[in-house]
Amino acid sequence: MDYGMIGKIEKARRYTEEPERITFKSFKAHFRGSNSDYDITLGANGWSCTCPGFHSQNICPHVMAMEKLFRPMLKREPLPYAHGQNVVSDVEKANRYTNEKDRIQFETFEAVFHGENSEHHFGFTDHKWQCDCDFFKSRDVCSHTMAMERLLTGMLDIATPQVAVPEVNQP
Ligand SMILES: [Zn+2]
Ligand SMILES: [Zn+2]
């Protein structure tokens, strides 16, 4: 029996219920919109999206959907509505997108995991995980990456899926 791993799986299961432990520093994701595909990024300068709406108004339903889906992991204020934006239609679209997560594919991201004892920097790039914690250094997997893999189910193109974290039982 791999008790070290069993402990990490148990921890990861708990962490999936505490998404506020995670803070995105940056990411690049592919967003399949209603009519075409866009690239959406979050970085030091804030949000960006390649769609025409964002280009003219600095806000769009794609960013609004990401803000809604990942609110506990962003730790930033939502973008303000723009003058002239069709707010009703954009909110309706964003709400629909949050129920259609298969539209989103993360290409790369960097994030901080606020663990029980310390902070860890972890991320995903080239279809692979990284984490700076000791367990990951020896095993290429840890409770942080397992928890995130579960939280981003269907939104990551992973070379080698990690140990499955058991489903959270619904009451
Ligand atoms: Zn957009
Ligand atoms: Zn880790």
Side-chain angles (χ1 to χ4, degrees):
M1 288 288 254
D2 187 341
Y3 289 108
M5 186 62 90
I6 289 168
K8 295 298 174 191
I9 292 171
E10 175 51 32
K11 216 173 195 183
R13 194 197 59 74
R14 211 156 9 96
Y15 283 158
T16 58
E17 294 166 43
E18 299 166 4
E20 65 280 0
R21 286 184 179 277
I22 297 163
T23 303
F24 274 119
K25 289 294 160 197
S26 65
F27 63 67
K28 182 173 184 196
H30 197 70
F31 202 111
R32 193 163 49 79
S34 308
N35 305 308
S36 11
D37 292 6
Y38 305 108
D39 285 321
I40 183 162
T41 56
L42 177 70
N45 297 321
W47 291 100
S48 168
C49 182
T50 55
C51 76
F54 191 90
H55 186 73
S56 57
Q57 302 187 304
N58 291 311
I59 184 168
C60 65
H62 315 113
V63 169
M64 289 159 67
M66 297 300 265
E67 284 177 334
K68 231 170 135 63
L69 273 172
F70 300 109
R71 190 187 308 270
M73 304 187 212
L74 290 168
K75 320 276 193 305
R76 55 197 303 141
E77 290 295 313
L79 288 181
Y81 295 135
H83 184 70
Q85 179 187 10
N86 190 336
V87 174
V88 174
S89 146
D90 282 1
V91 166
E92 188 273 324
K93 258 190 206 171
N95 286 343
R96 184 156 43 82
Y97 290 157
T98 58
N99 295 316
E100 297 167 0
K101 294 184 202 168
D102 57 331
R103 291 179 178 277
I104 300 158
Q105 280 291 313
F106 281 88
E107 209 170 283
T108 179
F109 71 76
E110 283 180 43
V112 175
F113 202 105
H114 312 278
E116 276 150 6
N117 306 307
S118 45
E119 288 201 340
H120 295 289
H121 291 258
F122 75 113
F124 181 81
T125 197
D126 290 334
H127 313 280
K128 291 193 187 81
W129 289 104
Q130 311 98 44
C131 185
D132 67 5
C133 74
D134 288 337
F135 196 85
F136 189 91
K137 275 174 207 150
S138 59
R139 310 293 284 272
D140 286 333
V141 60
C142 64
S143 53
H144 315 118
T145 60
M146 281 191 279
M148 194 60 156
E149 189 166 309
R150 179 98 204 107
L151 286 165
L152 300 183
T153 298
M155 294 180 259
L156 294 170
D157 182 7
I158 304 166
T160 319
Q162 306 188 320
V163 180
V165 178
E167 289 277 352
V168 179
N169 287 323
Q170 299 294 331

